[in-house]
């Protein structure tokens, strides 16, 4: 195993884990794909890994721990479920290994790479929030740079065909984790998350609508520029991420206030941002942008961690 590389492993041989493995192998960056483990010996992910020369096991995290190359692995991606991640973290937490959690378990700090990775780059367990979080938290954070966001609400619509058993089992965690990240990372004072599984055939692309309320007036040009710049930053690692319309502003004054059931009359500005995510189709179909944005965010986060680790080791040598 090359000493110039940063060996990684994936727990979970489903759609997300398999797409992530292919991205690591295609990237040509600092990461080296060392192992993939799952619990289904007949999964396509494990079969593909074997064909590509990646070490595999169908004994889950126990199989990973038993592999002779486990001692070389520096980082583990967990692409399973929120409940499974709790168990996996119990087995990995006392070992000298980093964990990137692609489930909504939210044991470690939230990580949206374009917003707050630098603040948590040394955390042993980083949570990649959710697909909706990766798509919308950067926009709320961009608006928060120019004006305090008193409320953020996001609506993520994804193809039902792109929502596998893990996604469906974790819908409650998805809603809670995404809403929390809108506050903790995006900077909103209050938040709400809505997810729609769209059964349309042919399958629809992932769409995200972000609504933000800002008290009083705000600098429309500055917010537009901030949002557009943030979209450009996300596109560096998710090329299919795009604005579908210009940023919209609607102002409410004392004579035409917006009524909010929880808080009463609102006087200020409602900002609406409409986004679309088209997947790269490395393994998953292009309509599965919700899964692609998760694996792309995890890949860029792991690459940054690897580069940071190499730089730190060089400085202390």
């Amino acid at each position: 195993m090359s000493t110039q590389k940063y060996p990684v492993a994936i727990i979970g041989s489903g759609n997300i884990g398999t797409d992530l493995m292919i991205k690591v192998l295609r990237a040509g960056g600092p990461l080296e794909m060392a192992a993939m483990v799952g619990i289904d010996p007949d999964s396509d992910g494990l079969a593909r890994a074997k064909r590509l020369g990646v070490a595999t096991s169908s004994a889950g995290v126990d199989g990973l721990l038993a592999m002779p190359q486990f001692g070389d692995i520096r980082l583990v991606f967990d692409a399973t479920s929120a409940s499974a991640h709790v168990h996996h973290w119990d087995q990995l937490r006392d070992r000298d290994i980093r964990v990137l959690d692609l489930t909504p378990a939210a044991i470690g700090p939230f990580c949206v790479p374009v917003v707050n990775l630098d603040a948590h780059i040394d955390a042993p367990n980083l949570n990649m929030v959710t697909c909706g979080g990766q798509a919308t938290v950067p926009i709320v954070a961009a608006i928060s740079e120019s004006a305090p966001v008193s409320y953020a609400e996001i609506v993520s619509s994804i193809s039902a065909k792109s929502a596998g058993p893990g996604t469906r089992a974790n819908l409650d965690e998805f809603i809670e984790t995404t809403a929390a990240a809108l506050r903790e990372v995006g900077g909103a004072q209050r938040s709400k998350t809505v997810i729609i599984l769209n059964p349309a055939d042919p399958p629809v692309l992932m769409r995200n609508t972000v609504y933000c309320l800002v008290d009083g007036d705000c600098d429309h040009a500055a917010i537009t520029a901030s949002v557009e710049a943030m979209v450009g930053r996300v596109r560096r690692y998710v090329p299919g991420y795009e604005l579908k319309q210009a940023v919209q502003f609607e102002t409410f004054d004392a004579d035409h206030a917006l009524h909010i059931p929880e808080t009463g009359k609102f006087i200020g500005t409602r900002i609406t941002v409409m986004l679309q995510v088209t997947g790269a189709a490395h393994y998953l179909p292009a309509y599965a942008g919700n899964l692609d944005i998760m694996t792309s965010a995890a890949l860029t986060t792991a690459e940054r961690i690897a580069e940071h680790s190499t730089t730190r080791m060089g400085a202390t040598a």
Side-chain angles (χ1 to χ4, degrees):
M1 197 170 287
S2 171
T3 57
Q4 301 303 311
K5 289 289 188 175
Y6 194 84
V8 301
I10 296 173
I11 306 174
S13 58
N15 285 339
I16 291 181
T18 305
D19 186 69
L20 180 56
M21 175 186 69
I22 292 172
K23 279 180 165 58
V24 171
L25 292 170
R26 289 169 57 102
L31 307 183
E32 181 175 62
M33 193 64 224
M36 169 182 270
V37 301
I39 57 173
D40 179 3
D42 298 321
S43 67
D44 183 60
L46 291 181
R48 284 176 179 261
K50 290 176 184 177
R51 292 198 299 269
L52 294 168
V54 177
T56 64
S57 171
S58 59
V61 70
D62 293 326
L64 176 64
L65 296 175
M67 286 182 173
Q69 60 266 60
F70 178 74
D72 296 322
I73 292 170
R74 306 287 302 281
L75 180 145
V76 172
F77 298 96
D78 192 338
T80 58
S81 67
S83 59
H85 178 69
V86 174
H87 170 66
H88 299 158
W89 178 236
D90 284 342
Q91 293 181 280
L92 295 171
R93 64 188 308 163
D94 294 326
R95 302 173 187 272
D96 186 20
I97 197 165
R98 304 291 298 279
V99 176
L100 286 191
D101 173 20
L102 281 78
T103 82
I107 291 174
F110 295 131
C111 176
V112 179
V114 288
V115 181
N116 71 334
L117 174 55
D118 289 343
H120 301 297
I121 200 161
D122 291 317
N125 184 334
L126 276 177
N127 179 257
M128 302 308 298
V129 196
T130 62
C131 58
Q134 290 296 336
T136 63
V137 167
I139 301 303
V140 177
I143 295 172
S144 295
E145 291 177 357
S146 299
V149 176
S150 60
Y151 177 73
E153 180 174 317
I154 69 102
V155 180
S156 285
S157 175
I158 65 175
S159 168
K161 286 190 175 182
S162 71
T167 299
R168 294 171 185 269
N170 291 158
L171 287 178
D172 286 346
E173 291 87 349
F174 176 100
I175 292 169
E176 294 169 4
T177 296
T178 306
L182 292 169
R183 300 188 300 273
E184 295 179 27
V185 184
Q189 295 175 22
R190 297 186 300 115
S191 61
K192 180 179 179 180
T193 296
V194 177
I195 182 170
I196 298 170
L197 305 186
N198 191 327
D201 193 13
V204 295
L205 298 174
M206 183 192 196
R207 290 289 185 92
N208 300 277
T209 304
V210 181
Y211 302 100
C212 288
L213 296 182
V214 174
D215 293 331
D217 201 2
C218 57
D219 188 330
H220 295 192
I223 289 175
T224 298
S226 183
V227 168
E228 290 176 347
M230 183 63 80
V231 169
R233 291 172 62 194
V234 175
R235 283 178 61 87
R236 293 174 190 169
Y237 58 94
V238 189
Y241 183 86
E242 60 181 321
L243 276 174
K244 288 304 293 178
Q245 295 187 21
V247 181
Q248 300 175 20
F249 299 87
E250 186 175 4
T251 302
F252 300 90
D253 58 24
D255 295 327
H256 302 88
L258 177 67
H259 177 71
I260 301 175
E262 296 88 349
T263 59
K265 290 185 177 180
F266 169 77
I267 298 173
T269 305
R270 178 168 61 195
I271 304 164
T272 304
V273 180
M274 298 182 181
L275 305 159
Q276 178 174 283
V277 185
T278 305
H282 291 145
Y283 172 70
L284 303 164
Y287 63 74
N290 54 306
L291 305 181
D292 186 76
I293 196 170
M294 282 295 289
T295 54
S296 296
L299 176 68
T300 198
T301 297
E303 289 179 336
R304 287 271 302 280
I305 288 172
E307 292 163 358
H308 174 74
S309 177
T310 300
T311 300
R312 187 174 57 182
M313 288 177 65
T316 58

